[in-house]
C-alpha cells in the first residue's frame, strides 16, 4: 500500500484504457503517453497494462508501506527517495517506509509512476483507468487527494534492475512536427486553409487537458461552414471550430461531435503531443496511411529495444 | 457511401449527407452486421446520424481489406437484420417549472398550450439514433413536426442531468451536468448515466423511448427509489 502525502497537480490512476464503450458515449481514457506508460511498467517487471499513476506537471509525494520498486518515466520530473536524488527512467527499489517525491517537470507535461505488481483499484467496465469527467474508474473516479491510500498488487522487488537506454527517445525537431492523416473532412477546407494547417506553427493553450489540446495559430479556413452532421471523433481528430482554430481530441474525448475534422494526428504521435507544455508549439505534416501504419509498427517495436539491464 | 481514413486506427464510413430514419437505420444495421460477423481486426464502432466510425487494429487487418469486408456487408444492412428495438419508458415531470424550465416559453414559441405540447411530446416513440456528446446522452428523433423548434439563442452553461429537452427536430436527455442549447421541457428522475452501476448507461442506440408525464410527487418518489437502488426502469 502507498499513502499519498501530496497529490501533485492532477494525478490519476491509469491502465491501457477501456475500448468498446464509445458507442455509449464513454471514452477509452488510459495514458496520454502510451510509450512512457508501457516503459514504466516494464521497468518494474509488470505487464504493459498494469495500473500506474499519470502525473501532470507536478508529481505526488507518497510513503510506501511495504518494500517494492517503482519507476518514473515520461516528463522529466526530479525524483527523490527519502530526500536523496534518484535517476528517472530506471528501476528504483524501495524499502518499507520510504518517502518518494516526484517534483515539477523540467521538460514535458505527463510523468508516469509504475509500481512493481501494479496498483489495485476496482475495475470499472473492465478497466482501472480514471475518467474524471465521467466519475468512472481509478480511485472513486477522481484525481488523487492528500491522504488517499492505494493498494499495490503483489508488491515485490524485481530481480532485474533496468533503465531506459540513453538516447532511446531522441528529442526530435523543435517544435515537434506531428504526422497526421488528412481527413475525414479535409474536403471541407479551402486550399489556403489546408496550407495554413500544414505550414503553420500552433501554440498549445493552457486550457488543454486529457479531453483535447487546444491550439492557436494560422486560421484554417473552411470552404463551406464549420458544421457537419455530428459523427464519431477518432483519437487525434483535429477539429476546427468556427474561428478556424484547431483542437486535437485525445483519450478522454467526447465520442461524437459536429465540427469539421481536417486531419487526424497519428496514434504514435499522441504521446509527443501530450508532452508539449502550454505556450510551446507544434507543427503538422501529412503522411499517407501506408506510411502511418509502417511508422506505427516501428514505434511499437521501439518499446522492445528501449530498455537495458543495469550492471 | 464513402470510406475516409480517420487516422491510422479508424475509418469513417459516411453513408449520406442527411438526417433520416432510413439512413440512420442503415448505419445501425451495418454496425450490427460488423459486430455479428466478428470482422477481423475491428476494435469498436461508433454509430451516428449518417456515419459509422470503425476503430481497427492495423496489426490484425489492413485498411483496404477492412473496407472491402464492410462494403460486402452493406447490401444486407437494412432494418430486416436488426433485432426488434427495446421499448424504454422514461417518466418525465413537465408540470413543475423548476424542472421544466422552458416549457412555458417553448409552448408560446410553438403556438401551443403547455398541455398540448406535453401531449404531443408523450404521444410518440422517439428513436435513439445514437449516444454521444456526454456518456449515455441519447440523440432522439421522432417528434412530430409541430414540435420542431430552433435552438435557444443563448445556450445555457449548466443544464442539470435528467433534463428532457428539444431543439431542431430532436429531443435529448442530458446525462450529466453540461452546457446545452435545447429547450428544457421537463426532467426525468432516472439516471441516463450512473458510473456506479455495472452498466452505466441506461439507453442504447436503436432503443425506442416514450415519455410518461408524472407529477412532482411521483418524480420525488421515483428519485428517492433511484437513490436507494430500488427502482427498475420499464424496458420491454
Amino acid at each position: 500500500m502507498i499513502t499519498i502525502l501530496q497529490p501533485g497537480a492532477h494525478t490519476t490512476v491509469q491502465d491501457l484504457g477501456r475500448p468498446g464503450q464509445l458507442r455509449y458515449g464513454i471514452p477509452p481514457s488510459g495514458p496520454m503517453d502510451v510509450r512512457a506508460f508501457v516503459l514504466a511498467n516494464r521497468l518494474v517487471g509488470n505487464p504493459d497494462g498494469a495500473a500506474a499513476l499519470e502525473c501532470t506537471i507536478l508529481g505526488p509525494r507518497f510513503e510506501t508501506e511495504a518494500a517494492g520498486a517503482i519507476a518514473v518515466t515520461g516528463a522529466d520530473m526530479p525524483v527523490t527517495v527519502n530526500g536523496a536524488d534518484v535517476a528517472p527512467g530506471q528501476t528504483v527499489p524501495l524499502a518499507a517506509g520510504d518517502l518518494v517525491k516526484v517534483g515539477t517537470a523540467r521538460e514535458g507535461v505527463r510523468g508516469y509512476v509504475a509500481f512493481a505488481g501494479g496498483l489495485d483499484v476496482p475495475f470499472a467496465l473492465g478497466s482501472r483507468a480514471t475518467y474524471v469527467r465521467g466519475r468512472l474508474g481509478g480511485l472513486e473516479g477522481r484525481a488523487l487527494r492528500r491522504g488517499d491510500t492505494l493498494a499495490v498488487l503483489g508488491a515485490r522487488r524485481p530481480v532485474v534492475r533496468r533503465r531506459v537506454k540513453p538516447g532511446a527517445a531522441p528529442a526530435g525537431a523543435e517544435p515537434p512536427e506531428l504526422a497526421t492523416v488528412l481527413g475525414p473532412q479535409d474536403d471541407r477546407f479551402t486550399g489556403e486553409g489546408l496550407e495554413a494547417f500544414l505550414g503553420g506553427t500552433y501554440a498549445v493553450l493552457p486550457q488543454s487537458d486529457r479531453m483535447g489540446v487546444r491550439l492557436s495559430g494560422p486560421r484554417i479556413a473552411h470552404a463551406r461552414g464549420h458544421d457537419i452532421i455530428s459523427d464519431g471523433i477518432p483519437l487525434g481528430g483535429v477539429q476546427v471550430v468556427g474561428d478556424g482554430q484547431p483542437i486535437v481530441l485525445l483519450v478522454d474525448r467526447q465520442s461524437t461531435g459536429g465540427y469539421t475534422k481536417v486531419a487526424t494526428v497519428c496514434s504514435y504521435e499522441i504521446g509527443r503531443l501530450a508532452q508539449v507544455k502550454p505556450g510551446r508549439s507544434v507543427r503538422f505534416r501529412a503522411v499517407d496511411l501506408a506510411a502511418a501504419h509502417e511508422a506505427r509498427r516501428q514505434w511499437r517495436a521501439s518499446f522492445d529495444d528501449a530498455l537495458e539491464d543495469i550492471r | 457511401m464513402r470510406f475516409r481514413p480517420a487516422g491510422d486506427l479508424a475509418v469513417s464510413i459516411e453513408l449520406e449527407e442527411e438526417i433520416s430514419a432510413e439512413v440512420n437505420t442503415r448505419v445501425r444495421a451495418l454496425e450490427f452486421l460488423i459486430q455479428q460477423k466478428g470482422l477481423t481486426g475491428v476494435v469498436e464502432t461508433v454509430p451516428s446520424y449518417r456515419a459509422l466510425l470503425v476503430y481497427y487494429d492495423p496489426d490484425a487487418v489492413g485498411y483496404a481489406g477492412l473496407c472491402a469486408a464492410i462494403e460486402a456487408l452493406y447490401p444486407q444492412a437494412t432494418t430486416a437484420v436488426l433485432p426488434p428495438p427495446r421499448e424504454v419508458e422514461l417518466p418525465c415531470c413537465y408540470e413543475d417549472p423548476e424542472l421544466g424550465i422552458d416549457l412555458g416559453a417553448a409552448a408560446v414559441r410553438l403556438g401551443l398550450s403547455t398541455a398540448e405540447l406535453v401531449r404531443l411530446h408523450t404521444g410518440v416513440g422517439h428513436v435513439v439514433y445514437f449516444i454521444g456528446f456526454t456518456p449515455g446522452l441519447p440523440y432522439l428523433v421522432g417528434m412530430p413536426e409541430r414540435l420542431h423548434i430552433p435552438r435557444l439563442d443563448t445556450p445555457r452553461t449548466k443544464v442539470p442531468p435528467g433534463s428532457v429537452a428539444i431543439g431542431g427536430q430532436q429531443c435529448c436527455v442530458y446525462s450529466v451536468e453540461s452546457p446545452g442549447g435545447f429547450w428544457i421541457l421537463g426532467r426525468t428522475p432516472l439516471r441516463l448515466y450512473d458510473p456506479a452501476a455495472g452498466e452505466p448507461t441506461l439507453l442504447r442506440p436503436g432503443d425506442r423511448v416514450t415519455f410518461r408525464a408524472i407529477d412532482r410527487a411521483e418524480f420525488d418518489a421515483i428519485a428517492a427509489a433511484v437513490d436507494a437502488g430500488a427502482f427498475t426502469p420499464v424496458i420491454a
Side-chain angles (χ1 to χ4, degrees):
Chain A
M1 196 179 79
I2 63 163
T3 302
I4 303 297
L5 305 175
Q6 291 288 344
H10 183 79
T11 304
T12 57
V13 176
Q14 297 295 337
D15 63 10
L16 286 175
R18 55 176 66 78
Q21 301 297 324
L22 279 166
R23 75 190 296 272
Y24 305 108
I26 300 172
S29 302
M32 290 276 275
D33 184 341
V34 170
R35 183 179 189 277
F37 178 88
V38 167
L39 294 185
N41 269 326
R42 290 187 183 182
L43 284 169
V44 291
N46 287 346
D48 290 353
L53 296 180
E54 179 179 274
C55 324
T56 317
I57 302 284
L58 170 65
R61 199 159 63 83
F62 59 89
E63 183 175 1
T64 60
E65 194 194 51
I70 60 163
V72 181
T73 62
D76 179 16
M77 293 173 165
V79 182
T80 63
V81 176
N82 305 323
D85 290 337
V86 300
Q90 66 173 46
T91 317
V92 180
L94 293 178
D98 277 351
L99 283 169
V100 179
K101 182 173 188 288
V102 182
T104 304
R106 291 172 288 227
E107 278 300 323
V109 177
R110 269 113 192 157
Y112 295 90
V113 186
F115 298 80
L119 295 172
D120 187 16
V121 294
F123 282 99
L125 297 172
S127 163
R128 294 184 167 104
T130 312
Y131 170 40
V132 171
R133 275 195 177 79
R135 310 183 311 282
L136 188 69
L139 187 67
E140 299 168 2
R142 57 170 173 80
L144 298 188
R145 295 179 192 149
R146 180 192 305 209
D148 282 342
T149 57
L150 287 165
V152 181
L153 287 161
R156 67 203 144 74
R157 282 170 183 251
V159 187
V160 186
R161 288 183 59 206
R162 306 171 86 192
R163 68 178 174 203
V164 179
K165 284 182 194 168
E174 186 58 42
E177 202 175 77
L178 304 173
T180 68
V181 175
L182 287 179
Q185 284 111 25
D186 50 320
D187 56 348
R188 295 289 303 266
F189 295 85
T190 64
E192 293 75 29
L194 288 173
E195 272 174 37
F197 172 65
L198 294 172
T201 298
Y202 290 87
V204 172
L205 297 177
Q207 305 90 301
S208 303
D209 60 14
R210 288 173 47 84
M211 193 168 172
V213 168
R214 289 175 175 271
L215 298 163
S216 168
R219 180 187 161 85
I220 305 165
H222 294 90
R224 45 194 168 98
H226 52 77
D227 288 345
I228 54 165
I229 298 175
S230 284
D231 65 7
I233 301 175
L235 174 67
V238 184
Q239 184 175 271
V240 182
V241 294
D243 60 2
Q245 298 299 312
I247 302 170
V248 185
L249 289 152
L250 300 173
V251 292
D252 282 358
R253 67 194 176 280
Q254 62 273 39
S255 57
T256 62
Y259 291 109
T260 44
K261 295 172 286 292
V262 64
T264 310
V265 174
C266 292
S267 59
Y268 53 90
E269 302 279 45
I270 299 295
R272 282 215 295 162
L273 174 59
Q275 297 294 5
V276 179
K277 278 189 173 174
R280 300 274 186 92
S281 297
V282 296
R283 296 169 63 85
F284 298 100
R285 66 190 172 92
V287 297
D288 68 31
L289 195 53
H293 283 154
E294 180 52 32
R296 180 181 172 277
R297 265 190 294 277
Q298 287 176 13
W299 172 75
R300 292 294 315 193
S302 77
F303 296 11
D304 297 335
D305 196 36
L307 304 182
E308 64 186 11
D309 292 355
I310 299 173
R311 279 178 253 277
Chain B
M1 175 164 73
R2 70 170 193 165
F3 293 82
R4 297 286 296 153
D8 57 328
L9 300 182
V11 53
S12 176
I13 303 148
E14 300 174 0
L15 300 193
E16 308 281 351
E17 272 299 320
E18 65 175 50
I19 298 176
S20 72
E22 195 264 326
V23 172
N24 180 256
T25 301
R26 279 195 276 142
V27 169
R28 286 184 289 105
L30 184 61
E31 182 195 37
F32 181 79
L33 288 169
I34 289 170
Q35 291 182 345
Q36 192 191 43
K37 306 285 179 199
L39 284 198
T40 304
V42 171
V43 174
E44 63 179 306
T45 48
V46 184
S48 52
Y49 291 113
R50 57 88 173 85
L52 183 67
L53 186 64
V54 178
Y55 289 82
Y56 63 97
D57 173 2
D59 293 332
V61 65
Y63 179 80
L66 177 65
C67 292
I70 292 171
E71 200 159 13
L73 291 177
Y74 185 61
Q76 306 160 54
T78 66
T79 187
V81 301
L82 284 169
R86 301 192 313 169
E87 303 276 350
V88 182
E89 182 188 278
L90 290 183
C92 176
C93 178
Y94 298 90
E95 63 169 31
D96 187 337
E98 194 187 309
L99 306 179
I101 308 166
D102 300 320
L103 183 72
V108 169
R109 178 66 177 255
L110 293 167
L112 296 166
S113 69
T114 56
E116 186 68 1
L117 201 176
V118 171
R119 196 187 64 76
L120 288 168
H121 194 252
T122 53
V124 293
H126 305 252
V127 177
V128 178
Y129 272 24
F130 64 99
I131 306 278
F133 184 55
T134 59
L137 182 147
Y139 285 68
L140 296 161
V141 183
M143 291 200 301
E145 222 166 290
R146 200 69 193 77
L147 295 185
H148 294 185
I149 187 169
R151 295 185 185 197
L152 294 173
D153 291 332
T154 311
R156 287 192 173 81
T157 52
K158 278 185 180 180
V159 176
S163 294
V164 174
I166 62 173
Q169 55 169 305
Q170 298 177 67
C171 174
C172 84
V173 186
Y174 289 94
S175 60
V176 297
E177 185 180 278
S178 69
F182 281 22
W183 303 72
I184 300 169
L185 304 185
R187 196 182 302 173
T188 178
L190 303 194
R191 292 178 186 159
L192 279 281
Y193 174 69
D194 179 1
E199 266 188 53
T201 55
L202 179 63
L203 298 175
R204 304 174 191 162
D207 285 351
R208 247 174 68 97
V209 172
T210 49
F211 294 95
R212 178 171 68 84
I214 56 174
D215 60 20
R216 181 63 195 247
E218 189 173 0
F219 177 93
D220 291 337
I222 295 176
V226 167
D227 283 345
F231 186 85
T232 309
V234 180
I235 301 177

